[in-house]
Amino acid sequence: MIKNDALKFPVSKLPAVLSRCLCVVTSSISNLFRARILLYNIILCFLFNGNAFAEGSKDLYPATAQGNRAFLYANVDATSHITSYPFKTQGTHFVYAKLGETIAVASSAVGVGNGRIIVTAPNGTVSTFTASGATGIIPNRASELLGPSRPGAPAGYTPFTVVVGTDQEGVWKVDFVASIGSGTNNSMTVQDILATGNWTQASNNVNVIAAWDVSVRDAVGWISGRVYANVLNLLINPSFTQPKAFYVTNYVLTEDGRAYRVQTNGNNGWAFTFFSNNNGFAVGGVPTYKSLNFSNTSVGAYIHDPRTLDNGINKTHKVFYNRPQANLPVSANAYVTAANQNMWLKKNAVLPIIDQLKVVGIEGTEGKISRKGAKITFNSSTSGSYQILIPFVGGADRIINGVAVEGENEVFWDAKDGNGDFLPAGMISPQIQTFLRSAEVHFPYIDMEVNPRGIIIELTENTTAYNVNSGNLNPAEYSNKVYWDDSNISSTVTAVSSNPIINLTGISSLTNGHRFGSYSTTASNHFGDNKSVDTWAYIESDRTTQLVDIEILVANL
C-alpha cells in the first residue's frame, strides 16, 4: 500500500538522484541485470518513503538550483554591518504545528562553537538543542537534499524532535544560533559555492549557517507549507556575476489572505536583508511609495520592525519556503516576542471595495465645511492603502493617501486644494474618486547592490492551491505588475539606475521587475549599495466616483 506522503517526493530531483545512484550501482556490480534490480529498489525507496520534506535551505537550493548559495546570517550584536542588517535575528523562523505532531529541527552549525537550536512553544516552553553525537546536524549537501529521518525510513540526517503537547498548538519560534552565539564577528567571508555544490560549514566563531531545516510530521508523514520567516538575513560571496547570483523562489502570504510567488531572479547583494510588508517605507504607517537613499539603522524610522508583532496598520507578511498549507487556520496562538500572542495565518480573502463615503465638516454638519476642515468617512471591505481624489474645476486636484482598516475609516481634510490653498466660499459638487489597494506587498531590498534581471512577483489564484495561472486575464486572479519610485536615490543619474526611475503605472515583472545595477565588481555600478530599494505590487479595486455636494463656509470679517 502506498503511503500518503510517498507521493510528495519532488520529482524534479529524481533525475539527478538516480544518476548518482546508477554510478554507484554500476561501478560496484558487474552484472547489469542485478544492477537494474538494485536501482529499481532504490527508486521504490525514494518514491514510497517521501523523506525529502524538510523546509529550509533545501527548498532555497533544490537539486535544480541556479547561481550561488547564500548563507543564513545569524548575528545579533549591535555593531557589525548595521547598514546591511538593520533587523538582526538568530536565524529566526516560525512553524505552525498541531497537538500531537512532531517538530524536527537541524542545522549545519549544531555542535560548532556556540551553535545550537532554540525551539520555543507558543506557551513559552523552551527547548535548547546542542551537540548530541550526530543528532541535529546536517553534515553535507547530500544529507541536506535527503532531509530528516523518521522511524523506519532512511534519510540524510537525524533531527532533534519535540512533540506538540497540551496548550502548545500554534506558531512555534525556532532560532538557529550560529557558532558565534551572541558574540561579535566582523567577518563577511563565505564560501564561493554554487547552490548545488558541496558546501562546508565554517568552523568556530562565525556568524553564518550553511544549511538549516524545520520539519513537521504527523502520524502519516511530513507536512509541507508550515514554515515561514518574517525576515531573512543572508550573506553570499560577492562575485557580482550572473552565473553566481542569487536565484530562489518563495511564496509570500499577505495578511489579507492572498499569496504571491516571488523569484529573486539573479540579484546579488553580498550582505542583504529580505522581507515583505504591506506598506514599504512609511511615515506614521502611511506608505511613501519611495525608495530610501540609505540603509542604516535610520531605516527603522520608516519601517515597522519585522521582528515585532503587527499592529492595526503595519503588517509583516510571511515568507514561506513552499506553498502555504491549504488548511492553515485563520489565526493561532503564537510566540513571537512573548508567550501566548495571537498571530494571523490564512484569512479568507475579500475583494477591495470602498463605499458609504461622506464629507462632514469639523462642526459636525454633513456637506458644510469651514476652514477648520472636514472629516471624510468611508467603509472599507478589507485593510489596505487607499487614495481619495477630490477634483476642482480651475484648481489643483487634492489627493489624499492613507491606510484603511476593515470597516469604518475616517481621514482629515484641511479644506485645501492640491496647491495648499483654501477653497473659496460657495457651493461645489466634485466627483470624488476613490480606490483601495489590497494584498499589497512591498519588498524593501536593504543594501542589495545589484538586481540586473529584476525580481519576478506573480499573484497566485485566490485558492489554497496557490496556482500561478498566467493565462488568467482577471487582474484579481493573476498579475505580474510591479511598481517603484527611486527618485530619492542620489545615484539615479548613473547608467545603472533603474529605468524608468519612477514607475507608478505598473510594468510586468516578467520583462522589467525593477532592474538596477550591473554584474560588475566596480562599486559605481552598484546602484543599491547602502540604499533601501522598494518594489511593490497590489490588487487595485475599481476606481469609483461619487458626486458630493459641499458648501464652503468662510466667515465674513
Side-chain angles (χ1 to χ4, degrees), residues 42-119:
I42 292 172
I43 294 172
L44 291 180
C45 176
F46 276 108
L47 289 179
F48 295 132
N49 282 301
N51 294 304
F53 253 77
E55 293 201 89
S57 58
K58 178 268 301 178
D59 297 286
L60 293 185
Y61 315 116
T64 56
Q66 294 178 263
N68 260 24
R69 174 178 294 256
F71 291 69
L72 183 65
Y73 183 86
N75 180 305
V76 291
D77 72 60
T79 57
S80 60
H81 307 292
I82 300 300
T83 56
S84 301
Y85 304 119
F87 307 115
K88 290 187 171 185
T89 76
Q90 293 277 32
T92 301
H93 286 67
F94 298 93
V95 56
Y96 171 72
K98 297 181 180 180
L99 177 65
E101 293 179 343
T102 298
I103 298 173
V105 296
S107 89
S108 57
V110 168
V112 181
N114 290 313
R116 60 194 186 278
I117 302 174
I118 302 172
V119 181

Side-chain angles (χ1 to χ4, degrees), residues 53 95-105 119 129 148-151 159-165 168 172 213-223 226-227:
F53 253 77
V95 56
Y96 171 72
K98 297 181 180 180
L99 177 65
E101 293 179 343
T102 298
I103 298 173
V105 296
V119 181
F129 299 108
S149 64
R150 61 180 172 84
F160 296 119
T161 59
V162 57
V163 177
V164 179
Q168 292 184 330
W172 293 56
D213 155 43
V214 184
S215 302
V216 180
R217 72 168 188 257
D218 58 16
V220 177
W222 299 110
I223 305 169
R226 294 283 195 85
V227 179

Side-chain angles (χ1 to χ4, degrees), residues 467-514:
N467 292 322
V468 175
N469 183 1
S470 58
N472 192 327
L473 301 181
N474 182 353
E477 292 293 333
Y478 175 80
S479 174
N480 54 40
K481 279 188 177 183
V482 293
Y483 307 81
W484 65 83
D485 182 344
D486 296 336
S487 57
N488 281 346
I489 295 181
S490 59
S491 57
T492 54
V493 296
T494 68
V496 293
S497 66
S498 52
N499 185 17
I501 297 297
I502 301 174
N503 161 35
L504 299 181
T505 57
I507 296 175
S508 168
S509 61
L510 301 179
T511 57
N512 181 1
H514 199 177

